[in-house]
Protein backbone atom coordinates (compact mmCIF):
# COMPACT_ATOMS: atom_id res chain seq x y z
CA UNK A 1 0.00 0.00 0.00
CA UNK A 2 2.77 2.45 0.97
CA UNK A 3 4.76 1.27 -2.04
CA UNK A 4 1.74 1.78 -4.31
CA UNK A 5 1.29 5.33 -3.06
CA UNK A 6 4.98 6.08 -3.55
CA UNK A 7 4.74 4.73 -7.12
CA UNK A 8 1.66 6.86 -7.84
CA UNK A 9 3.45 9.91 -6.43
CA UNK A 10 6.49 9.27 -8.60
CA UNK A 11 4.24 9.28 -11.70
CA UNK A 12 3.03 12.85 -11.12
CA UNK A 13 5.05 15.38 -13.12
CA UNK A 14 5.64 18.92 -11.82
CA UNK A 15 5.48 21.60 -14.51
CA UNK A 16 6.73 24.94 -13.11
CA UNK A 17 5.08 28.16 -14.30
CA UNK A 18 2.16 26.47 -16.10
CA UNK A 19 -0.39 27.78 -17.04
CA UNK A 20 1.07 31.00 -15.64
CA UNK A 21 4.15 32.13 -13.72
CA UNK A 22 4.24 31.02 -10.09
CA UNK A 23 1.95 27.96 -10.50
CA UNK A 24 3.46 24.47 -10.27
CA UNK A 25 1.10 22.37 -12.37
CA UNK A 26 0.67 18.77 -11.24
CA UNK A 27 0.53 16.84 -14.51
CA UNK A 28 -1.24 13.47 -14.10
CA UNK A 29 -0.77 12.33 -17.71
CA UNK A 30 2.24 10.09 -16.87
CA UNK A 31 0.08 8.40 -14.22
CA UNK A 32 -2.83 7.94 -16.64
CA UNK A 33 -0.44 6.53 -19.22
CA UNK A 34 0.75 3.78 -16.88
CA UNK A 35 -1.91 1.03 -16.91
CA UNK A 36 -1.07 -0.67 -13.60
CA UNK A 37 -0.69 2.65 -11.76
CA UNK A 38 -3.87 4.14 -13.20
CA UNK A 39 -5.74 0.98 -12.16
CA UNK A 40 -4.19 1.11 -8.68
CA UNK A 41 -5.24 4.75 -8.29
CA UNK A 42 -8.86 3.96 -9.14
CA UNK A 43 -8.82 0.78 -7.03
CA UNK A 44 -7.66 2.76 -3.99
CA UNK A 45 -10.51 5.22 -4.40
CA UNK A 46 -13.08 2.53 -5.12
CA UNK A 47 -12.09 0.50 -2.05
CA UNK A 48 -13.00 3.48 0.08
CA UNK A 49 -16.58 3.57 -1.25
CA UNK A 50 -17.36 -0.10 -1.73
CA UNK A 51 -20.45 -1.01 0.25
CA UNK A 52 -21.38 2.65 0.65
CA UNK A 53 -24.22 2.54 -1.88
CA UNK A 54 -22.91 5.32 -4.10
CA UNK A 55 -25.51 6.23 -6.72
CA UNK A 56 -23.52 8.77 -8.72
CA UNK A 57 -19.94 9.84 -9.22
CA UNK A 58 -19.87 13.49 -10.27
CA UNK A 59 -16.80 14.43 -12.33
CA UNK A 60 -15.56 18.01 -12.57
CA UNK A 61 -14.40 19.23 -16.02
CA UNK A 62 -12.08 18.10 -17.34
CA UNK A 63 -9.65 15.77 -15.57
CA UNK A 64 -12.40 14.86 -13.11
CA UNK A 65 -14.11 13.15 -16.06
CA UNK A 66 -11.19 10.75 -16.41
CA UNK A 67 -10.85 9.83 -12.76
CA UNK A 68 -14.59 10.00 -12.07
CA UNK A 69 -15.81 7.85 -14.93
CA UNK A 70 -13.29 5.10 -14.13
CA UNK A 71 -14.37 5.25 -10.48
CA UNK A 72 -18.06 5.10 -11.43
CA UNK A 73 -17.46 2.03 -13.57
CA UNK A 74 -15.59 0.29 -10.76
CA UNK A 75 -18.36 1.10 -8.25
CA UNK A 76 -21.19 0.25 -10.62
CA UNK A 77 -22.46 3.80 -10.07
CA UNK A 78 -23.80 6.31 -12.55
CA UNK A 79 -21.56 9.09 -13.82
CA UNK A 80 -22.56 12.72 -14.12
CA UNK A 81 -20.67 15.86 -15.11
CA UNK A 82 -20.15 19.42 -13.97
CA UNK A 83 -18.94 21.68 -16.79
CA UNK A 84 -17.86 25.20 -17.64
CA UNK A 85 -20.73 27.49 -18.74
CA UNK A 86 -22.35 26.93 -22.12
CA UNK A 87 -21.16 23.35 -22.68
CA UNK A 88 -24.17 21.38 -21.45
CA UNK A 89 -27.02 21.06 -23.97
CA UNK A 90 -30.00 20.59 -21.64
CA UNK A 91 -31.46 22.79 -18.89
CA UNK A 92 -28.89 23.58 -16.21
CA UNK A 93 -28.33 24.87 -12.70
CA UNK A 94 -25.22 26.92 -12.03
CA UNK A 95 -23.00 27.90 -9.13
CA UNK A 96 -20.33 30.59 -9.04
CA UNK A 97 -17.16 30.76 -7.00
CA UNK A 98 -14.30 33.14 -6.35
CA UNK A 99 -11.01 32.86 -8.20
CA UNK A 100 -7.80 34.66 -7.37
CA UNK A 101 -8.93 37.30 -9.86
CA UNK A 102 -12.67 37.38 -10.55
CA UNK A 103 -15.27 34.63 -10.51
CA UNK A 104 -15.98 31.42 -12.36
CA UNK A 105 -19.17 29.42 -12.88
CA UNK A 106 -19.96 25.72 -13.16
CA UNK A 107 -23.08 24.08 -14.56
CA UNK A 108 -24.90 20.78 -14.14
CA UNK A 109 -27.94 19.37 -15.92
CA UNK A 110 -31.06 19.70 -13.78
CA UNK A 111 -31.37 15.90 -13.88
CA UNK A 112 -27.62 15.35 -13.35
CA UNK A 113 -28.27 14.30 -9.76
CA UNK A 114 -31.45 12.55 -8.65
CA UNK A 115 -33.11 13.71 -5.43
CA UNK A 116 -31.62 11.79 -2.46
CA UNK A 117 -28.79 10.39 -4.58
CA UNK A 118 -25.61 9.53 -2.68
CA UNK A 119 -22.81 11.27 -4.57
CA UNK A 120 -19.02 11.16 -4.68
CA UNK A 121 -17.49 14.26 -6.27
CA UNK A 122 -14.31 13.42 -8.19
CA UNK A 123 -11.46 15.51 -9.57
CA UNK A 124 -7.75 15.09 -10.16
CA UNK A 125 -6.68 17.74 -7.66
CA UNK A 126 -7.93 19.99 -4.87
CA UNK A 127 -6.15 23.30 -4.51
CA UNK A 128 -8.14 26.08 -2.78
CA UNK A 129 -11.31 23.96 -2.82
CA UNK A 130 -13.43 26.58 -4.58
CA UNK A 131 -14.29 24.35 -7.54
CA UNK A 132 -15.33 21.41 -5.39
CA UNK A 133 -17.30 23.65 -3.03
CA UNK A 134 -19.35 25.09 -5.90
CA UNK A 135 -19.89 21.52 -7.14
CA UNK A 136 -21.12 20.43 -3.70
CA UNK A 137 -23.58 23.35 -3.77
CA UNK A 138 -24.96 22.07 -7.08
CA UNK A 139 -25.46 18.60 -5.58
CA UNK A 140 -27.34 20.08 -2.60
CA UNK A 141 -29.37 22.30 -4.94
CA UNK A 142 -30.63 19.20 -6.77
CA UNK A 143 -31.42 17.36 -3.53
CA UNK A 144 -28.46 14.97 -3.48
CA UNK A 145 -26.11 14.09 -0.63
CA UNK A 146 -22.35 14.51 -0.93
CA UNK A 147 -20.83 11.41 0.64
CA UNK A 148 -17.28 12.62 0.03
CA UNK A 149 -15.07 14.57 -2.37
CA UNK A 150 -12.29 12.38 -3.80
CA UNK A 151 -9.05 13.58 -5.37
CA UNK A 152 -5.84 12.01 -6.56
CA UNK A 153 -3.86 15.04 -5.29
CA UNK A 154 -4.42 17.44 -2.40
CA UNK A 155 -2.34 20.63 -2.18
CA UNK A 156 -2.70 20.67 1.62
CA UNK A 157 -0.99 24.02 2.08
CA UNK A 158 -3.87 25.73 0.22
CA UNK A 159 -6.34 24.43 2.84
CA UNK A 160 -9.08 23.36 0.43
CA UNK A 161 -10.10 20.66 2.91
CA UNK A 162 -11.02 23.34 5.44
CA UNK A 163 -12.94 25.30 2.81
CA UNK A 164 -15.00 22.24 1.91
CA UNK A 165 -15.98 21.45 5.51
CA UNK A 166 -18.32 19.98 6.64
CA UNK A 167 -17.99 17.90 3.49
CA UNK A 168 -15.46 15.10 3.74
CA UNK A 169 -12.31 15.06 1.63
CA UNK A 170 -10.30 12.03 0.54
CA UNK A 171 -7.01 12.29 -1.35
CA UNK A 172 -4.44 9.68 -2.29
CA UNK A 173 -1.46 12.07 -2.31
CA UNK A 174 -0.92 15.11 -0.13
CA UNK A 175 1.62 17.86 -0.86
CA UNK A 176 2.59 20.10 2.06
CA UNK A 177 4.33 22.62 -0.19
CA UNK A 178 4.87 23.28 -3.88
P1 LIG B 1 -9.39 24.82 -6.70
O1 LIG B 1 -10.77 25.30 -7.04
O2 LIG B 1 -8.48 25.98 -6.30
O3 LIG B 1 -9.40 23.72 -5.67
O4 LIG B 1 -8.73 24.26 -8.04
C1 LIG B 1 -8.99 22.95 -8.44
C2 LIG B 1 -9.12 22.82 -9.92
O5 LIG B 1 -8.07 23.49 -10.61
C3 LIG B 1 -9.03 21.37 -10.31
O6 LIG B 1 -9.97 21.10 -11.35
C4 LIG B 1 -7.60 21.18 -10.78
O7 LIG B 1 -7.54 20.31 -11.88
C5 LIG B 1 -7.12 22.58 -11.15
N1 LIG B 1 -5.83 22.92 -10.53
C6 LIG B 1 -5.61 23.88 -9.58
N2 LIG B 1 -4.32 23.97 -9.26
C7 LIG B 1 -3.68 23.03 -9.98
C8 LIG B 1 -2.30 22.59 -10.07
N3 LIG B 1 -1.32 23.14 -9.33
N4 LIG B 1 -2.00 21.56 -10.92
C9 LIG B 1 -2.98 21.00 -11.67
N5 LIG B 1 -4.28 21.36 -11.63
C10 LIG B 1 -4.64 22.37 -10.80
Amino acid sequence: MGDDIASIRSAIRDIPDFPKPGIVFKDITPLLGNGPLFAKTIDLMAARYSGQKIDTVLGIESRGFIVGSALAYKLGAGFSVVRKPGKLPYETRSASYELEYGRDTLEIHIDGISPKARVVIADDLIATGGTAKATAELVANLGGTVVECAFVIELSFLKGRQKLAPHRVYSILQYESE
Side-chain angles (χ1 to χ4, degrees):
M1 170 95 165
D3 283 356
D4 288 336
I5 289 177
S7 303
I8 292 168
R9 185 180 288 267
S10 69
I12 306 291
R13 179 163 55 196
D14 281 358
I15 311 284
D17 299 320
F18 183 89
K20 52 186 182 186
I23 306 280
V24 180
F25 189 87
K26 299 287 184 198
D27 176 17
I28 63 165
T29 62
L31 171 61
L32 299 176
N34 182 314
L37 284 182
F38 183 27
K40 180 52 69 181
T41 302
I42 299 304
D43 288 351
L44 279 170
M45 281 188 173
R48 193 167 165 88
Y49 305 113
S50 72
Q52 289 219 43
K53 296 190 168 38
I54 303 302
D55 299 299
T56 306
V57 177
L58 181 58
I60 301 175
E61 186 168 5
S62 59
R63 290 178 297 278
F65 296 173
I66 301 166
V67 176
S69 60
L71 178 62
Y73 176 78
K74 183 85 185 178
L75 291 174
F79 179 66
S80 193
V81 299
V82 158
R83 299 204 64 180
K84 306 277 163 57
K87 304 270 186 135
L88 289 170
Y90 186 54
E91 200 178 329
T92 58
R93 292 271 166 82
S94 63
S96 294
Y97 59 103
E98 301 289 337
L99 296 174
E100 200 178 344
Y101 302 103
R103 289 176 79 72
D104 216 340
T105 300
L106 290 172
E107 293 184 345
I108 190 169
H109 276 154
I110 54 165
D111 58 357
I113 299 294
S114 304
K116 301 215 168 73
R118 289 172 53 77
V119 178
V120 171
I121 293 172
D123 205 353
D124 64 330
L125 180 146
I126 179 169
T128 66
T131 311
K133 188 162 189 229
T135 302
E137 279 167 20
L138 291 171
V139 174
N141 191 295
L142 295 176
T145 298
V146 178
V147 173
E148 195 156 72
C149 303
F151 307 91
V152 180
I153 298 167
E154 177 179 3
L155 302 184
S156 311
F157 56 97
L158 293 176
K159 308 218 179 304
R161 178 181 288 269
Q162 285 86 331
K163 185 179 224 163
L164 264 177
H167 296 299
R168 291 155 49 110
V169 169
Y170 169 70
S171 59
I172 295 175
L173 304 174
Q174 298 80 37
Y175 291 79
E176 302 300 337
S177 68
E178 285 189 327

